[in-house]
Amino acid sequence: TRFGTRPVPALIAVGSVLALAAGLAADLTARPPRVLLDGDRLTVSRLRHRQRVNTGRLTGLSANPRVAGSLVLADEDGNRAEIDTRVLVRNPLIWQQIRQGVGRARHRGALYLPEEDRLLWDSVGRQVAEADRQALTGLDFSPSR
């Protein structure tokens, strides 16, 4: 049980590797999943796990009880996809596609939103509208000279 001065650099190296691994893991868990839109098909993928839902055939929209700021969408085929509301606020095309799908589903009676889910949906709509307003106020529409 002899300890010399050599283990100190080794401990520093091991500590650095552990800190890097912890930082990478935190980054992967904090980063919103990748969301792709192909027609009516919405695909949410994270760490090689994919969830797909058909936005033209929605039957469910609810808050994710495990993750704040996350919606769970469900379609007629039983597919489910969790989507972070930040994705909807930052991506107008994805928001528009989901909003249209929810509107059509509610109109045909395939989707009913209880009070809590309706309030969340309305809140996301207000967040998107505010983001759009801020983006438009930053644009200069005056002619260039």
Side-chain angles (χ1 to χ4, degrees):
T1 60
R2 291 182 9 215
F3 290 104
T5 58
R6 299 259 190 253
V8 173
L11 289 175
I12 291 171
V14 169
S16 297
V17 169
L18 289 175
L20 180 64
L24 180 60
D27 182 53
L28 289 174
T29 58
R31 183 179 302 169
R34 182 176 180 185
V35 179
L36 299 172
L37 186 61
D38 183 17
D40 283 346
R41 184 65 73 181
L42 179 78
T43 304
V44 180
S45 58
R46 176 186 212 129
L47 303 174
R48 297 186 182 179
H49 178 71
R50 289 186 181 181
Q51 300 173 327
R52 291 187 178 107
V53 69
N54 187 327
T55 60
R57 301 174 59 193
L58 291 176
T59 57
L61 180 146
S62 61
N64 184 344
R66 296 175 287 128
V67 180
S70 178
L71 294 174
V72 178
L73 301 171
D75 66 15
E76 292 174 354
D77 298 324
N79 299 318
R80 295 169 49 95
E82 296 177 23
I83 187 164
D84 192 311
T85 58
R86 294 176 294 182
V87 171
L88 302 178
V89 171
R90 294 177 184 154
N91 296 282
L93 294 176
I94 294 172
W95 162 251
Q96 181 180 16
Q97 184 69 30
I98 292 174
R99 184 178 57 85
Q100 288 175 353
V102 168
R104 286 190 304 259
R106 290 177 79 182
H107 180 72
R108 72 176 191 268
L111 176 63
Y112 169 75
L113 294 178
E115 182 71 17
E116 183 178 324
D117 295 333
R118 188 185 57 75
L119 291 173
L120 174 64
W121 182 246
D122 292 345
S123 170
V124 173
R126 285 191 300 275
Q127 291 174 34
V128 170
E130 178 62 21
D132 288 348
R133 187 190 65 73
Q134 288 179 359
L136 288 174
T137 58
L139 296 176
D140 183 13
F141 290 106
S142 62
S144 302
R145 290 185 187 187

